[in-house]
Amino acid sequence: MTEQLHRWDVTPAEAVALQKELADRLVIENRFGEIRTVAGVDMGIRDDTARAAVVVLSFPELAVIDYAVAEQPVPFPYIPGLLTFREGPVVLDAMDRLSTTPDLLIFDGQGIAHPRRLGIASHMGLILDIPSIGCAKSRLCGHYEEPDEEKGSQSPLIYYRKTIGMVVRTRTRVKPVYVSPGHRVDLPTAVDYVLACCTRYRLPETTRWSHNVAGGKVPEIRPSAS
């Protein structure tokens, strides 16, 4: 499933250089067919062990149809802006354990809303060659005006005079999320899919399920309609 675009045993300076190089290869426009499955990806690190969970949901029903979990030793130090080099290898391991290749990935992290335009959603989307979206709980860079309080309200996230994402209210009078394209998806479409995956909660069902599975919850698998 994965393409080896680069090695992971790099120095921080090499990692920065790789991000700048790979960002030029991103496609920030819609290049995908029908979306029938969407996957959430959640990562966590505890006691020098990285753990990733990928949960595949049917779309638009949002029923769990597949999931996988992987663990690996942490390969890289904690450096803001370079977290993909800590979390990327274990995410790829979990992806390779899936029985279903998702049509779309939504990451609990940044897409191009990143100082070098290569957050984990963009980086992994490029390696996997799967359309990807970043839906982060906090801002990494850029400035914005607070969106209106109603669900669906949006405000552009601006960095060096360029729109790199959208600040989106997914629940009325609840803190917004930070949505940005990862790879093979444009910004309006990224926002549409995040909102379509949000039901009663601030975070999309993709993120909620992957977080729960990463924490040890075992979901009930519903057979795919395909």
Side-chain angles (χ1 to χ4, degrees), residues 37 101 154 171:
T37 56
T101 300
Q154 306 168 27
R171 286 194 70 195

Side-chain angles (χ1 to χ4, degrees), residues 18-68:
L18 271 171
Q19 287 182 329
K20 293 177 179 178
E21 174 189 341
L22 294 175
D24 289 336
R25 300 175 59 174
L26 293 175
V27 176
I28 309 303
E29 61 183 45
N30 292 336
R31 292 193 186 175
F32 55 82
E34 182 182 6
I35 300 297
R36 302 183 65 181
T37 56
V38 56
V41 185
D42 187 72
M43 301 75 63
I45 293 177
R46 184 175 182 180
D47 298 331
D48 294 323
T49 297
R51 179 180 173 91
V54 183
V55 180
V56 183
L57 309 180
S58 61
F59 186 85
E61 301 84 6
L62 303 178
V64 178
I65 62 172
D66 193 13
Y67 73 97

Side-chain angles (χ1 to χ4, degrees), residues 87-155:
E87 301 170 347
V90 72
V91 169
L92 296 178
D93 188 359
M95 288 292 303
D96 282 338
R97 295 168 186 256
L98 288 174
S99 300
T100 306
T101 300
D103 297 321
L104 177 68
L105 298 169
I106 299 180
F107 283 79
D108 181 19
Q110 310 292 346
I112 64 169
H114 178 279
R116 290 171 293 279
R117 293 175 59 85
L118 200 83
I120 191 165
S122 294
H123 200 151
M124 294 292 99
L126 189 62
I127 291 175
L128 293 162
D129 194 26
I130 296 175
S132 59
I133 296 168
C135 180
K137 295 187 286 290
S138 60
R139 173 187 56 175
L140 182 59
C141 63
H143 66 273
Y144 65 96
E145 295 183 1
E146 194 72 17
D148 292 339
E149 291 189 342
E150 291 76 20
K151 177 179 179 177
S153 298
Q154 306 168 27
S155 179

Side-chain angles (χ1 to χ4, degrees), residues 108-215:
D108 181 19
Q110 310 292 346
I112 64 169
H114 178 279
R116 290 171 293 279
R117 293 175 59 85
L118 200 83
I120 191 165
S122 294
H123 200 151
M124 294 292 99
L126 189 62
I127 291 175
L128 293 162
D129 194 26
I130 296 175
S132 59
I133 296 168
C135 180
K137 295 187 286 290
S138 60
R139 173 187 56 175
L140 182 59
C141 63
H143 66 273
Y144 65 96
E145 295 183 1
E146 194 72 17
D148 292 339
E149 291 189 342
E150 291 76 20
K151 177 179 179 177
S153 298
Q154 306 168 27
S155 179
L157 180 62
I158 308 296
Y159 189 60
Y160 285 102
R161 300 184 181 180
K162 292 185 177 180
T163 298
I164 58 171
M166 200 68 70
V167 184
V168 181
R169 194 84 66 181
T170 54
R171 286 194 70 195
T172 298
R173 293 186 294 277
V174 172
K175 288 197 302 183
V177 296
Y178 301 82
V179 178
S180 59
H183 180 52
R184 293 174 52 189
V185 180
D186 67 20
L187 179 54
T189 304
V191 172
D192 288 345
Y193 274 103
V194 167
L195 287 172
C197 290
C198 289
T199 55
R200 297 177 295 162
Y201 305 96
R202 176 194 179 207
L203 299 178
E205 290 299 289
T206 45
T207 299
R208 291 194 340 104
W209 271 110
S210 56
H211 179 76
N212 288 341
V213 170

